[in-house]
């Protein structure tokens, strides 16, 4: 069974666009791309934290997705390719994050920038 990231079409455009690089790299990363996976995940979470109001479930989902992506990144660097379950775990965690973002509220900074929803 192949796991893919959920579609982000139901999310506000600014959140969907922020997630695309992360979901793409988790789905396609190959040998020695661990640093790219790790940096993409970290940058995306930093961007999301500026854009959405923090809630405990959302923070948990972001941390879980970061940890799962880091495990995938380590596996890619160590073995040169990932075991299918590492990629699956990262995608499952990203899917949980996407679901949490569906009820996220924009920060004041996001609203002031005209990027609110």
């Amino acid at each position: 069974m192949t796991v893919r990231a959920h579609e982000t079409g139901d999310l506000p455009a600014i959140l969907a666009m922020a997630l695309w690089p992360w979901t793409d790299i988790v789905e396609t990363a190959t040998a020695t791309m661990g640093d790219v996976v790790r940096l993409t995940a970290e940058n995306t979470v930093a961007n999301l934290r500026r854009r959405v109001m923090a809630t405990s479930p959302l923070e948990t989902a972001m941390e879980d997705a970061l940890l799962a992506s880091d495990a995938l990144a380590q596996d890619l660097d160590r073995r040169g390719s990932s075991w299918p379950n590492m990629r699956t775990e990262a995608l499952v965690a990203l899917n949980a994050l996407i679901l949490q973002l569906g009820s996220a509220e924009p920060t004041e900074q996001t609203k002031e920038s005209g990027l609110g929803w």
Side-chain angles (χ1 to χ4, degrees):
M1 180 176 94
T2 302
V3 175
R4 298 219 17 144
H6 286 303
E7 291 298 320
T8 56
D10 291 338
L11 295 178
I14 190 74
L15 299 181
M17 287 186 291
L19 285 169
W20 291 339
W22 192 0
T23 58
D24 287 349
I25 197 66
V26 167
E27 288 179 342
T28 62
T30 58
T32 71
M33 292 182 69
D35 284 341
V36 178
V37 172
R38 196 174 293 107
L39 288 172
T40 302
E42 291 169 356
N43 287 335
T44 303
V45 167
N47 185 14
L48 291 173
R49 286 184 171 141
R50 283 191 303 274
R51 298 289 172 220
V52 298
M53 299 290 291
T55 64
S56 185
L58 181 57
E59 280 295 323
T60 298
M62 285 191 284
E63 286 301 318
D64 289 348
L66 272 174
L67 289 172
S69 291
D70 186 60
L72 171 62
Q74 289 179 36
D75 200 47
L76 289 169
D77 287 342
R78 183 175 43 249
R79 295 186 223 271
S81 64
S82 71
W83 289 104
N85 63 327
M86 291 293 192
R87 190 177 310 272
T88 298
E89 288 177 23
L91 289 167
V92 167
L94 274 171
N95 286 337
L97 175 58
I98 291 167
L99 291 175
Q100 284 296 320
L101 286 170
S103 60
E105 296 294 326
T107 62
E108 287 303 315
Q109 177 186 3
T110 301
K111 290 177 191 175
E112 291 170 3
S113 300
L115 300 173
W117 47 94

